[in-house]
Amino acid sequence: MSLSDDELFLQEMADVSPLKQEHQSHTDPRWLNPLSVTDAQLAKRAAAEQHELLQLLPTDPYLFTAVEPDDVVSYKMDGIQDEVFTQLRLGKYRFNTVLDLHQYRLPQARESLLSCVLGAYERGERNILVIHGKGYKSKPYSGLMKSAVCHWLRFIEPVTAYHSATKECGGVGAVFIMLKNHRKKELKIVN
């Protein structure tokens, strides 16, 4: 007489006993929510995303639209109100973060710019100042760093607008950058 699969299974499992409940920690947050994400996992994910974005931002000088050293640069996404952009252009918004890219090579400048923008965004800052210089003597063409910064800023997601700085803040050798509102800062807890 042959046994069915179910009968064979039950026969094999006859001496198995369940695990004792006392060995499971109910204070471990992963026990309460096994899908919760740790701070280390979030940091690792952010680093990976930043690395991916770095790969999308070129450092080949011939991939940038050349900007002359004395040109005023300006960009705004659709939806940015004219009055808000005017206030940015006039330097009316306060900024806490300043990044000076003088003496940087393109790969270091790219990494520093991305890190600065993303860090300011995570801290909930709305405006930063980046000093790129005019680059009269840069090679292979004048205004190289300025051209690179303007190119990169259009691809960094939190950036909504930028404009050459006022004379007091560096003029055409610097740029005011406006960032999106940070979504974490917008959340309100309702009790």
Side-chain angles (χ1 to χ4, degrees):
M1 166 170 128
S2 76
L3 298 173
S4 71
D5 287 341
D6 289 339
E7 291 170 332
L8 284 172
F9 176 77
L10 290 173
Q11 193 176 35
E12 290 295 320
M13 299 299 290
D15 62 341
V16 175
S17 61
L19 292 174
K20 294 180 182 177
Q21 291 292 338
E22 65 199 28
H23 295 294
Q24 297 174 347
S25 171
H26 295 287
T27 58
D28 185 353
R30 289 169 294 179
W31 169 254
L32 298 174
N33 183 2
L35 299 178
S36 65
V37 180
T38 66
D39 289 339
Q41 289 170 324
L42 289 173
K44 190 174 180 180
R45 183 183 305 155
E49 288 171 359
Q50 184 170 342
H51 180 72
E52 286 177 22
L53 186 52
L54 277 174
Q55 300 309 313
L56 298 175
L57 302 176
T59 55
D60 183 346
Y62 297 104
L63 296 176
F64 312 133
T65 302
V67 177
E68 292 298 318
D70 292 318
D71 285 353
V72 172
V73 294
S74 178
Y75 164 79
K76 71 174 183 169
M77 291 178 64
D78 291 337
I80 301 296
Q81 297 174 356
D82 290 336
E83 182 59 32
V84 170
F85 189 70
T86 298
Q87 296 297 316
L88 176 71
R89 180 178 58 80
L90 296 174
K92 299 292 184 182
Y93 295 120
R94 189 180 56 125
F95 54 87
N96 293 326
T97 300
V98 177
L99 175 63
D100 188 346
L101 297 176
H102 281 102
Q103 306 302 319
Y104 279 56
R105 296 191 184 278
L106 287 177
Q108 293 85 12
R110 174 185 67 172
E111 190 170 332
S112 294
L113 178 66
L114 182 60
S115 199
C116 176
V117 168
L118 295 178
Y121 175 68
E122 285 298 317
R123 291 187 301 275
E125 295 179 33
R126 292 295 314 276
N127 299 283
I128 62 176
L129 175 69
V130 173
I131 303 166
H132 46 65
K134 294 179 184 177
Y136 289 116
K137 297 179 184 178
S138 61
K139 301 287 182 214
Y141 55 84
S142 296
L144 176 61
M145 186 64 71
K146 182 176 186 174
S147 302
V149 167
C150 291
H151 180 83
W152 295 331
L153 287 174
R154 291 177 184 241
F155 293 97
I156 301 176
E157 198 265 330
V159 175
T160 59
Y162 64 81
H163 195 282
S164 290
T166 58
K167 205 171 214 177
E168 304 78 43
C169 292
V172 294
V175 64
F176 292 129
I177 301 169
M178 180 178 285
L179 305 176
K180 291 179 179 179
N181 270 332
H182 193 282
R183 63 191 170 281
K184 289 181 185 175
K185 302 293 181 185
E186 293 175 357
L187 296 177
K188 294 186 176 142
I189 298 174
V190 179
N191 289 330

